[in-house]
Amino acid sequence: MTKLTTKVAKKSISAAATARAAATHAVTDSTRARATATTPARQRPIQNPKSKIVPSEARSLTNPSDSAFYQPSDAFFHANRPTALTFDDVSLATRYSEILPRDADLATSLSDTLRLTIPIISSDMDTVTESRMAIAMALNGGLGLIHYNMPPAEQVREVARVKHHIHGFLQNPITIRPDALVADLLAKIEQKTYAFSTFPVTDDAGLLLGLVSGNVVKERYKTKKIADVMTPRASLITENIRAVAPDPIRAADTFFNNHIGIHKMLVVDDAGHLNGMVTSSDVERITAETKTLRKPARDTAFRLVVGAALSPIRKPDGALDREKILAHTAALVAENVDAVAVSTAHGHTAGVGDMVRLVRDAFPRLTIIAGNVTSAGGVAYLADCGANAIKIGQGPGSICTTRMVAGVGIPQLTALYVAAQGAKTAAAKNKNIRIIADGGITKSGDIVKALTLADAVILGGLLAGCREAPGEIMEINGKFYKQYRGMGSLAAMKSGSAARYGHDKNDATRKLTAEGIEALKEVSGDADDVLANLIGGIQSGMGYLGAKTLPALRANARFMRVSPAGQKEAAPHDVVEVSTRKQ
Ligand code: IMP
């Protein structure tokens, strides 16, 4: 059924609607560009119909009218001093292009050893990134930073889950006990919003006892015991972990070819304990994916990449607890973590510098991300302390109240420009420092603008509504939401992140002052879909700027200020918005 909804586009279109519109536009544009035969003229690269020779004026940057109005970053940001600008204050000029969006390459790096195939990182927030999100990020070519509002040992386990993840091979499938009732299983499926209804049956020791399949997980059988409706172990065809471990997906492909009508490959050890499961639909999806352009971000041992936030653990006297910090970092490194992030609200401080130096001295080759700063001096300082990549952003986050509470912070584009000057200072000292734009991104166009000055972006709010973000889905008036809260919100600080904002969560004598709020995000589907929309938008932007790579995007970027009328023009306006979606 096709549902048609209409809405009058108001003068001040909501941020969410703008983001949605931008994402839709991005997809539409990139899809359009992919269909080369039908590409509209305004999107198509300029081509000389008679020959491959393009007028030199189009190639060079010297057309005087263009250069008078559309300025490179140095000229532009200096000309706008002392006003600080953010994403919507600015638009990018189109450039001569020979690049189709689909050919734009989004590869970037956060250090000389950590390479990503897309420049997107999920934020180390307790409502954004745990292992599920980190796995989705790495599979799409990005990086997830696992938050630290959990016991240190649990964070290490979360990292291990990503590093041990084999795409399609579920190492810890959800199981059910034989003495449970079908009703219990139905309740579990509803509560956890599982999208599947076939479950292995195991005992408390993990011994495989059977498989309960979707066709008996029905209200009709709710009073029956799982043991009475399951397919018993003796009737199941299983595979041994030693046989499938080298390449579980290939093994599963062969298994499903040989066992017609079976959709789950159950993997056991020699003693019969369940070691994992592969479903035929996953194998089909993965086989299809290998033909697409999706390139996961992997380490040299072919494991997915992952990062983890480090808490600046302090002793009662306020000094860094060096032993604990180093022991925790060592445990993360033992699980092959690819990067650690020293995440604080104010990174240009003696405490953060000490912590970066401590970790750098102990782990010379580990990629260290540190922040947050908004100044060239801050970047140069953290670079000198040993950081590889520096997070830029103070106050732009969608759940952030730092600018209201502390009166401090810099609108994000100007902050990025100024901070990038610090990376140039470091480059003069032979340090290749990466800049990461952190916060305030609400649509793919913002990412394109950020990448004209930065090597990667960190997303919080744009990913918090994904299924892979931690937290339950809740329904309010027929709409589905997930919780999204600032790490400086009272609730998050009480769960552990107070140190990030310079507070002590155990200090009952002083009130914690929140610099973030607790909020809800509408459920936005799978991270795969959200990222695909964003990637399409970034590639679209690169196509418009004639940039095949991110360094070319930076070189080609020409900026202009946008007036309030220009901002209004940039979003859908003076129309009745119609959204058509299949139900
Ligand atoms: P968003 O993508 O605009 O939602 O911003 C996410 C970013 O906001 C995070 O990556 C952090 O840098 C920052 N952030 C997270 N929690 C807080 C907070 O409570 N106050 C201020 N900034 C925050």
Side-chain angles (χ1 to χ4, degrees), residues 123-125 372 391 393 395-402 438-441 458-462 484-489 500-501 515-517:
S123 181
D124 44 5
M125 297 171 72
N372 281 21
K391 297 204 268 179
S398 58
I399 34 50
C400 174
T401 53
T402 300
D438 180 12
I441 288 173
I458 290 185
L459 304 181
L462 269 186
Y484 179 44
R485 68 184 188 188
M487 292 294 275
S489 65
R500 182 175 181 141
Y501 294 86
E515 287 185 34
I517 59 162

Side-chain angles (χ1 to χ4, degrees), residues 6 52 79 92 117 132 176 192 223 241 243 246 263 265 311 331 353 359 393 427 430 457 506 581:
T6 60
K52 280 260 170 204
L92 296 168
T117 55
R132 243 185 110 195
I176 184 88
K192 302 274 184 187
T223 55
I241 184 70
H263 301 296
M265 182 178 86
S311 177
V359 177
N430 283 333
V457 298
N506 300 315
R581 60 191 150 98

Side-chain angles (χ1 to χ4, degrees), residues 13-188:
I13 193 158
S14 74
T18 313
R20 235 181 300 121
T24 317
H25 173 76
V27 183
T28 319
D29 272 0
S30 62
T31 316
R32 220 188 278 142
R34 266 178 214 127
T36 42
T38 54
T39 305
R42 98 182 153 75
Q43 172 86 0
R44 213 178 293 143
I46 302 164
Q47 273 167 4
N48 185 325
K50 292 208 176 115
S51 74
K52 280 260 170 204
I53 299 167
V54 188
S56 60
E57 184 190 80
R59 279 206 174 140
S60 67
L61 312 174
T62 53
N63 183 299
S65 302
D66 289 346
S67 50
F69 282 91
Y70 309 143
Q71 296 177 315
S73 58
D74 283 335
F76 175 78
F77 285 99
H78 279 272
N80 278 286
R81 278 183 306 169
T83 306
L85 305 171
T86 192
F87 300 113
D88 285 347
D89 292 320
V90 160
S91 192
L92 296 168
T94 53
R95 301 294 302 269
Y96 166 72
S97 181
E98 295 179 353
I99 304 301
L100 286 174
R102 65 165 180 215
D103 296 328
D105 179 356
L106 301 186
T108 191
S109 62
L110 299 184
S111 69
D112 294 343
T113 51
L114 178 51
R115 293 190 174 76
L116 306 179
T117 55
I118 63 167
I120 303 180
I121 300 168
S122 64
S123 181
D124 44 5
M125 297 171 72
D126 61 7
T127 47
V128 180
T129 313
E130 289 179 358
S131 54
R132 243 185 110 195
M133 175 63 79
I135 288 167
M137 291 302 299
L139 284 172
N140 281 284
L143 176 77
L145 293 178
I146 296 190
H147 70 87
Y148 57 49
N149 269 2
M150 60 179 94
E154 179 56 27
Q155 195 198 35
V156 173
R157 273 196 296 277
E158 285 290 290
V159 165
R161 279 186 193 117
V162 184
K163 298 308 288 187
H164 296 164
H165 177 83
I166 300 170
H167 191 20
F169 183 52
L170 303 167
Q171 285 164 307
N172 291 305
I174 314 286
T175 56
I176 184 88
R177 298 284 174 269
D179 51 354
L181 298 178
V182 170
D184 300 330
L185 188 51
L186 284 167
K188 191 167 169 176

Side-chain angles (χ1 to χ4, degrees), residues 30 98 151 264 285 288 297 318 338 345 349 390 412 415 453 455 474 511 515 550 562:
S30 62
E98 295 179 353
K264 309 275 171 207
R285 199 162 45 82
D338 297 275
T349 55
I390 301 183
Q412 189 64 342
L453 300 161
D455 298 277
M474 58 190 103
K511 203 171 170 301
E515 287 185 34
L550 293 179
V562 180

Side-chain angles (χ1 to χ4, degrees), residues 156 310 323-337 340 359 362-363 366:
V156 173
L310 286 185
E323 292 74 32
K324 274 198 186 154
I325 292 170
L326 289 181
H328 180 52
T329 312
L332 292 167
V333 169
E335 289 297 347
N336 299 298
V337 76
V340 291
V359 177
F363 303 95
L366 180 62

